[in-house]
Amino acid sequence: MPETRVAATATIQIDNEQVRVTEWRFAPGTETGWHVHPTDYVVVPMTTGELGLETTDGVAVNSLQAGVSYTRVAGSEHNVFNDADSEFVFVEIELK
């Protein structure tokens, strides 16, 4: 794992009273940075591949498939990173 990573690209597509929809683009060697989700959210992978996940419990690598969504509850604290050789893209839908 690289010692330092640069920020992944986040593009907010919708931000209203009900939801915030953000497209995340992870070039190789990028990360979200540590953060906590204040609300429940859904992630929709747009590509197939692996992303790393750092939590207070350690590091895991998640295999994700394009179009296969998953959800997490509010309070999730983590850093998502891409140590693969190709870009990974997902859309995150935060429920307000």
Side-chain angles (χ1 to χ4, degrees), residues 50-65:
E50 293 182 340
L51 284 177
L53 181 69
E54 294 176 309
T55 69
T56 55
D57 294 328
V59 178
V61 175
N62 295 312
S63 295
L64 304 169
Q65 184 176 340

Side-chain angles (χ1 to χ4, degrees), residues 12-47:
I12 296 175
Q13 298 176 340
I14 300 170
D15 191 0
N16 61 33
E17 292 180 6
Q18 292 81 33
V19 298
R20 177 182 297 125
V21 178
T22 306
E23 177 192 70
W24 283 94
R25 290 190 167 270
F26 293 83
T30 61
E31 67 181 1
T32 58
W34 280 91
H35 61 283
V36 177
H37 287 267
T39 63
D40 294 350
Y41 64 100
V42 176
V43 172
V44 183
M46 305 305 289
T47 52

